Amino acid sequence: RVMRVQLFGDLLMMIRGALGGIRTLFWSVVLICFPVYTVALILRETIGNAPQPGEGGIHFTTLSEAFFTVFRCTVAGDCSEEGGRPIFVLASREHGWGYGML
């Protein structure tokens, strides 16, 4: 009987829309994080595992730090270290030109 009031019908429609939006948001987060995690894992195992990671490689010594750095570079567009120097330019100096292509 309470659900027959127009206000509650609109509220139910808004709740269904929010639940559908949460499902879409979840899958978009998964689709963003999967390639970022893959690249972070590769950079962690190559640059971060080096005996001397160097200036650019210091951001890839742990997987969480590598994930944050790759996420920051791809999503936020801020791919520089604290001093303002680009991370992948520093990494390409230490580890080869292939890392500058990222």
Side-chain angles (χ1 to χ4, degrees):
R1 189 170 190 182
V2 174
M3 294 303 288
R4 293 184 187 190
V5 178
Q6 180 66 26
L7 175 71
F8 290 108
D10 291 342
L11 179 63
L12 187 61
M13 187 170 39
M14 288 190 313
I15 290 172
R16 285 182 185 153
L19 291 176
I22 288 173
R23 186 176 16 183
T24 304
L25 179 65
F26 169 76
W27 284 112
S28 62
V29 166
V30 167
L31 288 174
I32 288 172
C33 287
F34 183 70
V36 169
Y37 178 78
T38 305
V39 171
L41 188 62
I42 291 169
L43 290 173
R44 161 63 186 105
E45 291 300 317
T46 56
I47 294 178
N49 235 2
Q52 296 291 332
E55 291 178 291
I58 202 157
H59 298 284
F60 302 104
T61 54
T62 63
L63 185 59
S64 60
E65 199 170 359
F67 184 84
F68 178 70
T69 302
V70 173
F71 180 82
R72 198 179 69 186
C73 287
T74 56
V75 176
D78 178 28
C79 202
S80 59
E81 63 171 11
E82 294 84 13
R85 298 179 301 176
I87 292 172
F88 287 107
V89 172
L90 297 172
S92 65
R93 275 191 210 149
E94 298 282 330
H95 302 283
W97 62 271
Y99 296 104
M101 300 301 286
L102 294 174

